[in-house]
């Protein structure tokens, strides 16, 4: 609390800036942002800046204008950027204010800000931008869906696929018809003045309002961290119901113009559903395979690798939209298909880039969507009808609860891990509506009832996001729903999962039963023998999954070690078990140092070296197209570098535990780092078998490590929870990379 | 094939049902499968398992087959391998894969969970000494990776080492430098296995579906076809065995 003084002044300064920006954005005429539906022509009322234009055009001034003002040309990008900046500053602001973000989910806050901005714009008297459908569906929605699809937990998703599909398809159908039908019944009640609403319009309305929205679900569920099963159930449902929504929407819209429905139309509708969903998936899969295939050849142009991922996915989405197929499913399919192959092919940096760009774009999109939702609420013409709105909200709740309970009863007969009452409650409560419903409602062409429908939709959205979104977190805690376990990737788990898979496949074969495991196994084998060879470059195509998992883990540990060595201090270890406790005594020829494939080794080396030898890199020339291994920005000074080097040495020396029986080298050796003079490379030609810890590592003028025989006692107070063997391996790798008696002092980073 | 048409008497099944928890229809389906695998004999031997064509591509095939012939899995507190098994033992081993009945209380479920983990533990612990040593774990990883060609053998060893270290770290906490970690005992395995049982419980194969298989004519034809392939693949399977 001692920093309250400066913190407060920062905060006030921050808010002043934000409000200034707000005023600027509002007054600069935000009309241009909307697609054109709501724009009137150029308004008669001038904005404050416009009069400035006049000064340049008068003829009697002959002097050359040193400073001129021409806002008109850059208006559109300027305003767009301003809006995005505003949105992000708002997001930032919520975390500056303490305690708000614990109670209120971010989506609510953003809608609130949108309402505020909309109110200000309206108070000034201008037309506020509305969440244009084209803008939403083509620019704002795809990044969120791609982010979700690319990082979808495949295993859980496939395990629960049946459940998810039942909820998505049958659940949405039930919701749509129930809400539509009941609303029609309500409209027929005397004295409500809604008799003009016919059945088809009601059904159309029911369709729009019944779809669970992925954006809202993601926004709320991400903050409450429930267990993976529930998360994937609700989220998967929100993704897969897009096909149903698309088909029903187009169906009812066509019919409401035509007026009558026949059985043939119904059958065609069903066929259309299958075409839309399966077609969408196929389009996505094709683009995914293309993307994976392209990534195979990008070894020399690493910089543009992420772009392939993004562009192929976006093309998949747009191509699906061309044929009125389900764009969301296409995007998901593309991400899912592309991911394993792309990850095997791209460099580590590209992988990080892809990850962060996706997260960044989806975050921006989400923020903008919620803000625009708020602004549109204030802006749009409303037609409030108490009966209609209240009954819509009630019916939504009721139908959702009934639907979930009924479907779970049926589904539980086929599930081994049944869904409990708590699970059902969370699934029902998590059915949030969001911007997709709003945009679909916006597309309605029927003017007279459109406003009423829109009002009802907005009310439902507000209700679900605010009421349900805010209360779901305390409810989750109250009901003690299982939370997501933060577990590190564990090699044991991976081994046993694979073992179990094979075991159960084997048992199925012995029973003669062609079940779930059998087909999964067949698919895996097909993937391994044919697909991987085509889509993955180089030697990694034959790498078994366990090995790649292990390598990934090692890489992560190496990165963590190096990063923590240069910045913060390592967390303390809890366990002092090391390799020598496990190795059997007397087994002399067993190596303590494991080996991994050469290319991985080189990558790890590069990473480690780049961190320990930063001074060299500052001398290189800068080129925009080179992918330079950039030094960490916060360690520039030489003094700090040396200090950290010493720290690192000390830590490394504490970690190294060479098993007692293997000590064929003198127990204490000198440590000397000489980064400026000796840059060692791993020379492939030198040792054909790859890096092994040779018992006597050559000339002692090279860097060698202090081998610790005092045991890990000292280190326990200060050190890491990183599994010690990983540390040790990294140290040994480090020793190898630095102690290679490489006579060639060539450039290490090329 | 005439034996398959007549269903064995119900009274024989009552004991088995009580012992293993299977229903009568499930037992009869499994009996049919047993007779088919053993070519209508009374006992099954290892060769009969080797003749199943789909099993040939399974990397841990030998361990699975060994599990069927391991007395520790017969629930009779015996130990050591046997050479042949009767239908009763076959059924007992199969019952390890049954999901727990929904009517079970928590303590029964706990018992079932322990039994399943014990089964897997027995599969790993090949020398019956109650612990999984580093060698045995290495063998497990080797088997898992056995199907991929041209592998550096040391990677398998290092994976096993890392895994062993993880278990040791989580279960032992603190060890002196000259203490020696004998191996994973069943208690440690239980600790590691809490997440595995989750998978296990969700992944248990649905033996109920087999009852549908038995009553359809297509299944009958399928049975014939499988037998034909089994015979023709027996040669190639044994050939593969000798290659290894």
């Amino acid at each position: 609390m001692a920093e309250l003084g400066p913190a407060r002044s920062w905060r006030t300064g921050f808010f002043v800036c934000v409000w200034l920006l707000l005023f600027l954005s509002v007054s600069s005429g935000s009309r241009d942002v909307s697609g054109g539906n709501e724009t009137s022509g150029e308004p008669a009322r001038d904005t404050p800046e416009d009069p400035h234009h006049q000064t340049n055009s008068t003829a009697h001034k002959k002097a050359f204008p040193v400073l001129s003002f021409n806002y008109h040309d850059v208006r559109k990008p300027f305003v767009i950027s301003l809006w995005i900046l505003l949105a992000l500053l708002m997001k930032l602001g919520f975390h500056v204010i303490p305690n708000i973000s614990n109670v209120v989910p971010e989506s609510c806050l953003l809608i609130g800000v949108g309402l505020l901005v909309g109110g200000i714009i309206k108070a000034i008297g201008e037309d506020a931008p509305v969440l244009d459908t084209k803008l939403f569906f083509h620019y704002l929605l795809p990044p969120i869906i791609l982010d979700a699809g690319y990082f979808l937990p495949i295993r859980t998703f496939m395990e629960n696929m049946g459940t998810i599909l039942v909820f998505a398809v049958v659940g949405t159908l039930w919701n749509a018809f129930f809400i539509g039908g009941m609303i029609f019944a309500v409209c027929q009640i005397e004295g409500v003045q809604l008799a003009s609403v016919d059945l088809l319009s009601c059904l159309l309305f029911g369709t729009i309002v019944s779809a669970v929205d992925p954006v809202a679900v993601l926004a709320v569920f991400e903050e409450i961290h429930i267990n993976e099963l529930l998360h994937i159930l609700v989220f998967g449902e929100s993704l897969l119901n897009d096909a149903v929504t698309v088909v029903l929407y187009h169906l009812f819209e066509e019919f409401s113009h035509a007026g009558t429905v026949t059985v043939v139309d119904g059958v065609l509708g069903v066929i259309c559903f299958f075409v839309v969903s399966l077609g969408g998936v196929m389009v996505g899969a094709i683009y995914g395979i293309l993307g994976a295939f392209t990534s195979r050849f990008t070894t020399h142009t690493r910089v543009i690798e992420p772009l392939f991922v993004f562009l192929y996915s976006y093309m998949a989405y747009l191509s699906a939209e061309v044929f009125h197929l389900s764009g969301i499913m296409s995007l998901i399919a593309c991400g899912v298909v592309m991911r394993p192959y792309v990850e095997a092919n791209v460099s580590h940096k590209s992988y990080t880039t892809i990850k962060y760009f996706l997260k960044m774009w989806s975050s921006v999109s989400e923020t903008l969507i919620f803000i625009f939702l708020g602004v549109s609420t204030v802006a749009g013409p409303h037609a409030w009808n108490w009966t209609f709105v209240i009954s819509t909200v009630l019916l939504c709740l009721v139908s959702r609860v009934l639907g979930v309970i009924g479907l779970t009863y049926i589904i539980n007969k086929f599930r081994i891990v049944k869904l409990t009452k708590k699970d059902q409650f969370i699934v029902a409560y998590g059915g949030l509506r969001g911007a997709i419903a709003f945009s679909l409602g916006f597309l309605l062409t029927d003017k007279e009832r459109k406003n009423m429908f829109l009002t009802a939709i907005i009310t439902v959205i507000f209700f679900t996001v605010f009421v349900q979104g805010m209360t779901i977190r305390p409810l989750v805690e109250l009901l003690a729903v299982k939370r997501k376990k933060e577990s590190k990737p564990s090699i044991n788990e991976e081994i046993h999962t694979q073992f179990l898979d094979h075991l159960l496949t084997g048992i199925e074969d012995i029973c003669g039963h062609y079940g779930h495991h059998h087909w999964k196994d067949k698919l895996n084998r097909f993937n391994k023998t044919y697909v991987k060879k085509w889509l993955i470059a180089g030697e990694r195509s034959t790498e078994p999954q366990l090995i790649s998992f292990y390598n990934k883990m090692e890489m992560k540990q190496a990165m963590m070690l190096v990063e923590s060595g240069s910045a913060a201090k390592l967390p303390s270890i809890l366990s002092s078990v090391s390799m020598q406790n496990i190795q059997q005594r007397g087994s002399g020829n067993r190596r303590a140092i494991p080996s991994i494939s050469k290319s991985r080794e080189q990558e790890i080396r590069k990473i480690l070296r780049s961190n320990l030898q930063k001074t060299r890199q500052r001398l290189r020339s800068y080129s925009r197209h080179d992918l330079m291994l950039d030094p960490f920005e916060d360690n520039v000074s030489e003094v700090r570098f040396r200090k950290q080097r010493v720290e690192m040495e000390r830590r490394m020396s504490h970690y190294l535990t060479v098993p007692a029986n293997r000590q064929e080298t003198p127990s204490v050796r000198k440590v000397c780092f000489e980064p400026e003079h000796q840059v060692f490379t791993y020379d492939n030609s030198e040792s054909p078998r790859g890096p092994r810890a040779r018992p006597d590592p050559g000339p002692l003028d090279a860097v060698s490590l202090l081998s610790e025989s005092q045991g890990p006692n000292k280190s326990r107070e200060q050190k890491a929870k990183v599994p010690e063997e990983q540390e040790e391996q990294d140290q040994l790798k480090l020793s190898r990379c630095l102690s290679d008696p490489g006579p060639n002092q060539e450039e290490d980073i090329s | 094939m005439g034996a398959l048409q007549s269903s064995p008497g119900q009274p024989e099944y009552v004991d088995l049902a009580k012992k293993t928890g299977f229903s009568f229809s499930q037992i009869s389906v499994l009996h049919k499968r047993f007779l088919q695998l053993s070519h209508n004999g009374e006992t099954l031997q290892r060769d009969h398992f080797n003749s199943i064509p789909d099993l040939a591509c399974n990397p841990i095939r030998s361990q699975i087959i060994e599990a069927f012939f391991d007395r520790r899995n017969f629930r009779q507190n015996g130990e050591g391998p046997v050479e042949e098994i009767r239908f009763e033992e076959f059924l007992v081993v199969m019952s390890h894969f049954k999901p727990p009945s929904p009517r079970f209380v928590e303590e029964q479920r706990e018992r079932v969970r322990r039994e399943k983990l014990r089964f897997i533990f027995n599969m790993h612990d090949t020398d019956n000494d109650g612990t999984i040593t580093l060698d045995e774990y290495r063998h497990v990883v080797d088997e898992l990776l056995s199907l991929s060609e041209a592998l550096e053998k040391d990677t398998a060893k290092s994976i096993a080492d890392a895994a062993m270290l993880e278990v040791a770290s989580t279960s032992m906490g603190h060890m002196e430098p000259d203490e020696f970690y004998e191996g994973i005992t069943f208690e440690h395995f239980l600790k590691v296995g809490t997440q595995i049982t989750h998978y296990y419980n969700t992944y248990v194969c649905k033996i109920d579906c087999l009852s549908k298989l038995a009553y359809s004519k297509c299944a009958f034809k399928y049975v014939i076809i499988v037998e034909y392939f089994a015979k023709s693949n027996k040669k190639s399977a044994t050939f593969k065995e000798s290659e290894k």
Side-chain angles (χ1 to χ4, degrees), chain A residues 251-321:
Chain A
L251 205 71
F252 287 135
E253 200 172 28
E254 287 290 319
F255 294 157
S256 67
H257 291 306
T260 53
V261 182
T262 62
V263 179
V264 179
D265 294 324
V267 170
L268 281 178
V270 171
I271 297 179
C272 182
F273 166 70
F274 283 108
V275 167
V276 161
S277 48
L278 294 176
V281 170
M282 222 168 54
V283 168
I286 292 176
Y287 274 100
I289 292 181
L290 277 177
F293 191 62
T294 314
S295 74
R296 188 182 161 180
F297 301 107
T298 55
T299 27
H300 299 289
T301 47
R302 293 284 188 196
V303 192
I304 57 174
E305 266 172 348
L307 276 176
F308 283 118
V309 172
F310 303 140
L311 286 173
Y312 273 112
S313 314
Y314 195 46
M315 293 283 288
Y317 180 78
L318 293 176
S319 311
E321 288 288 324

Side-chain angles (χ1 to χ4, degrees), chain B:
Chain B
M1 286 299 234
L4 276 178
Q5 296 289 19
S6 61
S7 57
Q10 300 280 41
E12 297 169 17
Y13 284 179
V14 172
D15 290 333
L16 291 173
K18 224 185 299 184
K19 196 170 175 189
T20 57
F22 281 125
S23 71
F24 289 157
S25 57
Q26 290 171 332
I27 296 181
S28 93
V29 164
L30 284 170
H31 197 116
K32 287 185 181 123
R33 180 67 180 167
F34 180 86
L35 290 172
Q36 179 204 336
L37 283 176
S38 67
H39 308 289
N40 291 333
E42 279 295 315
T43 59
L44 274 181
Q45 281 132 22
R46 287 189 175 83
D47 284 339
H48 292 131
F49 281 103
N50 285 334
S51 65
I52 302 175
D54 297 310
L55 214 50
C57 347
N58 200 318
I60 57 171
R61 175 187 52 169
S62 52
Q63 288 186 323
I64 299 178
I65 296 176
E66 272 311 307
F68 273 89
F69 292 91
D70 190 344
R71 272 211 206 97
R72 286 175 299 176
N73 294 330
F74 294 163
R75 296 206 184 130
Q76 286 164 352
N77 299 329
E79 275 192 8
V82 291
E83 282 308 313
E84 47 182 36
I85 54 173
R86 297 163 301 145
F87 178 57
E88 193 180 322
E89 278 117 17
F90 179 75
L91 208 60
V92 168
V93 174
M94 277 302 192
S95 72
H96 283 280
F97 291 92
K98 220 172 115 22
S101 157
R103 293 185 309 269
F104 277 6
V105 296
E106 185 55 37
E107 129 190 324
Q108 281 171 311
R109 277 180 203 270
E110 190 55 42
R111 188 174 52 85
V112 167
R113 215 172 289 152
R114 265 185 93 96
E115 264 180 22
K116 294 188 184 200
L117 280 175
R118 185 87 220 179
F119 183 82
I120 304 182
F121 187 80
N122 288 343
M123 279 183 82
H124 293 327
D125 182 21
T126 45
D127 60 357
N128 291 357
D129 64 353
T131 55
I132 303 178
T133 58
L134 189 58
D135 273 334
E136 285 165 349
Y137 214 12
R138 280 187 181 154
H139 183 65
V140 170
V141 177
D142 272 338
E143 292 269 305
L144 271 180
L145 296 172
S146 61
L147 281 189
S148 26
E149 339 89 12
L151 205 45
E152 295 180 2
K153 276 296 169 191
D154 311 306
T155 327
K157 282 196 181 132
S158 60
I159 293 180
D161 290 347
M164 195 76 171
L165 185 65
E166 223 177 79
V167 179
S169 309
T170 46
S171 31
M172 296 294 279
H174 165 58
M175 287 180 76
E176 295 301 325
D178 48 354
E179 267 185 75
F180 180 61
Y181 184 65
E182 294 291 337
I184 310 179
T185 62
F186 186 52
E187 296 306 320
H188 295 165
F189 193 72
L190 277 180
K191 261 196 239 173
V192 174
T194 40
Q195 260 169 331
I196 300 174
T197 31
H198 166 72
Y199 282 125
Y200 206 178
N201 275 336
T202 50
Y203 272 137
V204 170
C205 61
K206 303 185 184 121
I207 301 195
D208 286 330
C209 304
L210 283 179
S211 52
K212 292 191 200 100
L213 199 66
Y215 294 132
S216 64
K217 289 195 186 124
C218 315
F220 191 65
K221 283 190 208 134
Y222 158 77
V223 153
I224 299 179
I225 293 171
V226 166
E227 258 223 349
Y228 170 74
F229 274 124
K231 285 195 188 120
S232 63
N233 280 344
K234 196 171 178 173
K235 286 189 193 152
S236 51
T238 46
F239 189 65
K240 262 193 207 166
E241 277 280 298
S242 59
E243 255 186 334
K244 251 186 151 185

Side-chain angles (χ1 to χ4, degrees), chain A residues 155 416-417 490 492-493 496 499 502 504 509-510 512 517 525 575-576 580-581 583 585 590-591 594 725, chain B residues 33 58 137-138 154 158 163 165-167 173-181 195 201-203 222:
Chain A
R155 207 181 171 94
I416 296 180
V417 177
S490 151
N492 260 310
E493 207 182 299
H496 281 288
F499 187 82
H502 287 302
L504 291 169
D509 290 332
I510 291 178
H517 287 102
R525 265 187 282 138
S575 156
S576 61
Q580 69 193 63
N581 294 118
Q583 299 280 5
R585 296 195 183 93
R590 197 165 296 153
R591 278 183 315 272
E725 204 222 32
Chain B
R33 180 67 180 167
N58 200 318
Y137 214 12
R138 280 187 181 154
D154 311 306
S158 60
L165 185 65
E166 223 177 79
V167 179
H174 165 58
M175 287 180 76
E176 295 301 325
D178 48 354
E179 267 185 75
F180 180 61
Y181 184 65
Q195 260 169 331
N201 275 336
T202 50
Y203 272 137
Y222 158 77

Side-chain angles (χ1 to χ4, degrees), chain A residues 139-160:
Chain A
Y139 299 110
L140 292 179
L141 189 62
I144 303 180
I145 303 293
L146 179 59
D147 178 39
Y150 198 78
F151 293 108
L152 201 64
I154 289 295
R155 207 181 171 94
T156 334
F157 190 69
M158 288 302 172
E159 275 174 42
N160 296 298

Side-chain angles (χ1 to χ4, degrees), chain A residues 227-502:
Chain A
N227 60 18
E228 213 177 38
L229 172 67
L230 287 176
H231 187 257
I232 200 69
L233 278 181
V234 182
F235 183 60
E237 178 195 345
S238 68
L239 288 176
L240 294 184
N241 69 10
D242 180 60
V244 180
T245 312
V246 164
V247 170
L248 279 181
Y249 183 83
H250 287 300
L251 205 71
F252 287 135
E253 200 172 28
E254 287 290 319
F255 294 157
S256 67
H257 291 306
T260 53
V261 182
T262 62
V263 179
V264 179
D265 294 324
V267 170
L268 281 178
V270 171
I271 297 179
C272 182
F273 166 70
F274 283 108
V275 167
V276 161
S277 48
L278 294 176
V281 170
M282 222 168 54
V283 168
I286 292 176
Y287 274 100
I289 292 181
L290 277 177
F293 191 62
T294 314
S295 74
R296 188 182 161 180
F297 301 107
T298 55
T299 27
H300 299 289
T301 47
R302 293 284 188 196
V303 192
I304 57 174
E305 266 172 348
L307 276 176
F308 283 118
V309 172
F310 303 140
L311 286 173
Y312 273 112
S313 314
Y314 195 46
M315 293 283 288
Y317 180 78
L318 293 176
S319 311
E321 288 288 324
V322 166
F323 297 105
H324 271 199
L325 305 172
S326 165
I328 290 185
M329 292 184 81
S330 152
L331 204 48
I332 302 277
C334 184
V336 163
V337 166
M338 198 168 23
R339 186 182 177 193
Y341 308 110
V342 161
E343 280 193 359
N345 280 333
V346 299
S347 70
H348 186 76
K349 280 186 179 293
S350 298
Y351 171 69
T352 312
T353 310
I354 293 177
K355 189 164 99 162
Y356 277 104
F357 258 87
L358 282 177
K359 298 277 176 214
M360 181 186 82
W361 271 328
S362 71
S363 180
V364 170
S365 280
E366 201 180 289
T367 315
L368 277 176
I369 287 178
F370 282 118
I371 289 190
F372 271 122
L373 207 54
V375 172
S376 312
T377 311
V378 176
H382 290 299
W384 181 272
N385 185 318
W386 277 102
T387 337
F388 193 76
V389 171
I390 301 286
S391 52
T392 310
V393 175
L394 278 175
L395 280 174
C396 280
L397 282 174
V398 167
S399 84
R400 176 86 183 153
V401 170
L402 284 179
V404 169
I405 292 181
L407 285 175
T408 317
Y409 179 71
I410 301 175
I411 289 172
N412 269 345
K413 295 202 203 293
F414 297 98
R415 280 182 69 92
I416 296 180
V417 177
K418 318 276 182 199
L419 293 174
T420 63
K421 288 262 185 296
K422 265 192 239 171
D423 295 337
Q424 290 175 37
F425 176 74
I426 297 289
V427 171
Y429 208 66
L432 306 173
R433 301 345 190 233
I436 289 188
F438 180 79
S439 309
L440 283 177
F442 213 74
L443 274 179
L444 287 174
T445 49
D446 188 0
K447 272 298 176 188
E448 48 179 81
R449 289 171 291 215
K450 174 175 167 182
N451 295 335
M452 188 173 68
F453 285 173
L454 267 182
T455 313
I457 291 173
I458 289 184
T459 316
V460 170
I461 295 178
F462 270 56
F463 182 80
T464 54
V465 173
F466 275 91
V467 174
Q468 286 179 235
M470 271 202 270
T471 53
I472 201 169
R473 198 199 302 235
L475 274 174
V476 159
E477 284 171 22
L478 193 70
L479 292 175
V481 178
K482 267 187 288 185
R483 298 299 194 95
K484 183 158 64 169
K485 280 181 277 222
E486 296 296 337
S487 56
K488 286 193 306 180
S490 151
I491 188 77
N492 260 310
E493 207 182 299
E494 183 70 21
I495 291 178
H496 281 288
T497 314
Q498 285 211 2
F499 187 82
L500 264 183
D501 277 343
H502 287 302

